[in-house]
Amino acid sequence: MKRYIYCLLAGLSFGTVPAVYAQQRPNIIFVLTDDMGYSDLGCYGNPQIRTPFLDHVAEQGVKSTGYMVTSPSCTPSRVSLLTGRYPTRSQLNFPIPPGYKIGLPDEDVTIAEMLKGVGYNTCMIGKWHLGDIQPYNFPVAQGFDHYFGLLYSHDYRFPYVKTDTVLKIYRDRTPEIFRPADTSLTELYTKEAIKYVKQQRKDKPFFLYLAHNMPHLPVAASKKFRGQSPGGLYGDVIEEIDANLADLWKAVEQQGLADNTIFIFSSDNGPWIDFPARMSADSVIKPWDVGSTGIFRGKKGETYEGGHRVPFIVYWKNHVPVHKTITDAFTSMDVLPTLAAWVNAPLPAGRKLDGESVLDLLTGKKEHISHSPIYYVNNGTPEAIRVGDWKLRRITDPKTGTKNIELFNLGSDVRERTNVAQEYPDKVSALAKLLDQYNGNTAN
C-alpha cells in the first residue's frame, strides 16, 4: 500500500512508466560493506590488501576522500543511506537487536521505493539491520521486490551474544538457510546477485542493493581465499569481496548492461578497532582482525573522522570523469537525492530530507560545492558539526556532566591532532550555536 501511495504522489502508477523512459534510465548497483575502514583498499592506500577490481573501478571513475556517513554504527548509518535523513528522524539511533520494539517506519521512503515509482525492478541482498518486529519493517515492505540475506549482523549468536536467536538467511519473508557458515556469506550473496543480474533486461532498469556482512567481526573467508592475502585473515576477507564483485560485474557485462549501469561502492562506518570482550569469546578473533582508518583519528562508535570516513567509489561509463578524486565533504544522506536527480525521479513526498544532491560533483560539472552543515550523530546525539573545513566536537562526560569541546580545521589538520578551540573562541561559539540548532529529532 505504501509503495502505491508513493507512486501516486510521484505522479505515476504501477505499470504506467513508458518503456522509452525505462530504457533511458540507468541501472544502479550499490555495494555496502560492513565496518570496512577508510584505508582497507589498495586505491585508498593499503599496502598489503590486493583489490584489483575496485582499484580499476576507481581508476575508471570517481573516488571520494571526503565522503562520510552520518553515524558511526550500523543501524543509524543504514537508515540515513536508504532514506536521505538523519537516523534520529526514524528513532533508530543504535544497532538494534533481533526483535527490537521498533524498526524502519512504514512512513519512511527508501531509495528502493523512490526508484520503484519510476519503473525500477528492485532487489536487496545481504544485511538489513533495520528491524523485523512488524511486517512493514522487512525489506520487501520497504520498496524491494526481492530480498535474500541476514536481517542482522552475523555476530548475533553464541558465544558473541547471549541470545536464543537462530541466525537465518531469508528469502523475502521466509527463512531459507539456518545457521549459515560465516565462510559462506560472501559467496552466497554473490551467487544470488549474479542470478538476479542474469534475469535483467535492457527494457527495464534495476536497482541492486548488495550489503555484505563482511568484514564485520567475526571475519571469515572461504577456503579459496583463506591464507592468500599478505594482509592476513582480514585481507583474505577484503580480497574475497573484491574478487566476487569482479564476478558480479562480469555478469553485468555479459548481459550487455555495463554501459548503462551505475556502480557505487562504500561502507556503513569505520572499523571496529576497540571491539568488546564478548567478541573474543571464541578464542579465535584477534585485535588485528579489523580494518584501518589510515590517517584518520577514531573508529567505529566515535565521531572523530575515523568513525565516519569510508571509501566511496562511483563508476558509470561516459557519465563520470575518469580517474577523478573528490575531496569535498558530502554524506550518505546525499545518495538518495543524488540518485533522484541522476535518474529523474521525484523526491519522496511528505518526508523531510536532510541530504542534498551532489550530482554535479560526481559528474565533474562542478569542481567544488558548498555543502550545508553536516552533523555527526552518535547514539541519537549530535556530537559534532562540520561547516566547510571547520569541525566542532562536543562530548558530555557521563560521570561529571562536563562538556569537552574540540575544534579542528580539517583543511590543515585532517588527522584531528590539535584542538584549537582556545585559539578561535568566536568559531567555537558560532559552531556551538549551529550544533544546538540540530532539528533532526522529529519525523518531519
Side-chain angles (χ1 to χ4, degrees), residues 114-220:
M114 179 185 74
L115 294 176
K116 276 190 66 65
V118 290
Y120 276 74
N121 184 294
T122 58
C123 177
M124 180 186 173
I125 297 170
K127 175 184 168 180
W128 175 238
H129 214 164
L130 296 178
D132 65 348
I133 194 67
Q134 299 291 343
Y136 57 76
N137 295 147
F138 282 71
V140 289
Q142 295 287 348
F144 293 100
D145 296 314
H146 313 284
Y147 174 65
F148 179 86
L150 286 169
L151 292 174
Y152 296 91
S153 303
H154 56 291
D155 64 327
Y156 279 103
R157 68 179 199 270
F158 181 84
Y160 314 110
V161 177
K162 294 180 180 179
T163 177
D164 57 2
T165 297
V166 175
L167 285 179
K168 301 174 284 290
I169 288 182
Y170 282 75
R171 186 173 297 280
D172 297 335
R173 295 182 183 272
T174 305
E176 184 169 294
I177 302 175
F178 291 77
R179 298 181 178 86
D182 296 342
T183 54
S184 71
L185 293 177
T186 297
E187 185 177 5
L188 280 172
Y189 292 164
T190 302
K191 286 183 177 179
E192 192 70 20
I194 290 174
K195 177 182 175 182
Y196 174 74
V197 165
K198 288 184 175 180
Q199 295 169 346
Q200 306 309 306
R201 298 294 181 264
K202 292 183 179 180
D203 61 350
K204 186 176 179 65
F206 72 86
F207 168 52
L208 171 60
Y209 172 43
L210 174 57
H212 279 293
N213 278 75
M214 296 294 164
H216 189 292
L217 292 173
V219 289

Side-chain angles (χ1 to χ4, degrees), residues 96-407:
I96 60 175
Y100 188 63
K101 60 183 179 180
I102 63 171
L104 188 63
D106 192 30
E107 297 79 13
D108 280 3
V109 179
T110 66
I111 292 174
E113 289 173 302
M114 179 185 74
L115 294 176
K116 276 190 66 65
V118 290
Y120 276 74
N121 184 294
T122 58
C123 177
M124 180 186 173
I125 297 170
K127 175 184 168 180
W128 175 238
H129 214 164
L130 296 178
D132 65 348
I133 194 67
Q134 299 291 343
Y136 57 76
N137 295 147
F138 282 71
V140 289
Q142 295 287 348
F144 293 100
D145 296 314
H146 313 284
Y147 174 65
F148 179 86
L150 286 169
L151 292 174
Y152 296 91
S153 303
H154 56 291
D155 64 327
Y156 279 103
R157 68 179 199 270
F158 181 84
Y160 314 110
V161 177
K162 294 180 180 179
T163 177
D164 57 2
T165 297
V166 175
L167 285 179
K168 301 174 284 290
I169 288 182
Y170 282 75
R171 186 173 297 280
D172 297 335
R173 295 182 183 272
T174 305
E176 184 169 294
I177 302 175
F178 291 77
R179 298 181 178 86
D182 296 342
T183 54
S184 71
L185 293 177
T186 297
E187 185 177 5
L188 280 172
Y189 292 164
T190 302
K191 286 183 177 179
E192 192 70 20
I194 290 174
K195 177 182 175 182
Y196 174 74
V197 165
K198 288 184 175 180
Q199 295 169 346
Q200 306 309 306
R201 298 294 181 264
K202 292 183 179 180
D203 61 350
K204 186 176 179 65
F206 72 86
F207 168 52
L208 171 60
Y209 172 43
L210 174 57
H212 279 293
N213 278 75
M214 296 294 164
H216 189 292
L217 292 173
V219 289
S222 66
K223 184 178 180 180
K224 178 180 178 181
F225 289 89
R226 187 176 179 90
Q228 299 301 307
S229 174
L233 177 57
Y234 188 85
D236 295 337
V237 172
I238 302 300
E239 292 185 15
E240 180 169 17
I241 290 174
D242 183 78
N244 276 250
L245 290 177
D247 291 340
L248 173 60
W249 189 252
K250 183 177 180 180
V252 174
E253 292 176 330
Q254 291 173 343
Q255 286 298 105
L257 302 172
D259 289 355
N260 196 38
T261 297
I262 300 171
F263 179 91
I264 305 175
F265 177 90
S266 192
S267 175
D268 64 343
N269 47 249
W272 206 7
I273 293 174
D274 61 344
F275 59 84
R278 65 179 176 85
M279 294 307 299
S280 298
D282 62 359
S283 300
V284 174
I285 294 176
K286 303 299 182 185
W288 49 83
D289 290 337
V290 296
S292 169
T293 63
I295 64 172
F296 297 113
R297 178 181 181 180
K299 53 191 176 293
K300 174 180 179 177
E302 291 184 346
T303 46
Y304 290 115
E305 293 299 292
H308 289 254
R309 296 272 190 120
V310 291
F312 189 83
I313 300 169
V314 183
Y315 169 77
W316 184 14
K317 186 177 180 180
N318 298 327
H319 290 81
V320 300
V322 175
H323 194 45
K324 174 79 171 181
T325 298
I326 296 174
T327 59
D328 285 38
F330 63 101
T331 83
S332 52
M333 297 186 303
D334 299 333
V335 172
L336 184 149
T338 299
L339 290 178
W342 222 340
V343 307
N344 192 28
L347 291 171
R351 307 304 287 168
K352 165 67 176 176
L353 290 185
D354 299 301
E356 55 194 65
S357 173
V358 293
L359 182 59
D360 287 348
L361 195 62
L362 297 184
T363 58
K365 291 183 178 179
K366 290 183 178 179
E367 281 295 314
H368 300 287
I369 59 171
S370 179
H371 201 285
S372 59
I374 298 171
Y375 292 91
Y376 298 61
V377 182
N378 193 14
N379 288 319
T381 300
E383 291 185 350
I385 185 171
R386 176 173 179 175
V387 179
D389 286 337
W390 289 100
K391 175 181 177 181
L392 180 78
R393 186 172 183 266
R394 186 177 63 192
I395 305 296
T396 301
D397 189 309
K399 295 182 179 180
T400 65
T402 58
K403 293 181 179 179
N404 179 35
I405 296 177
E406 296 172 294
L407 180 69

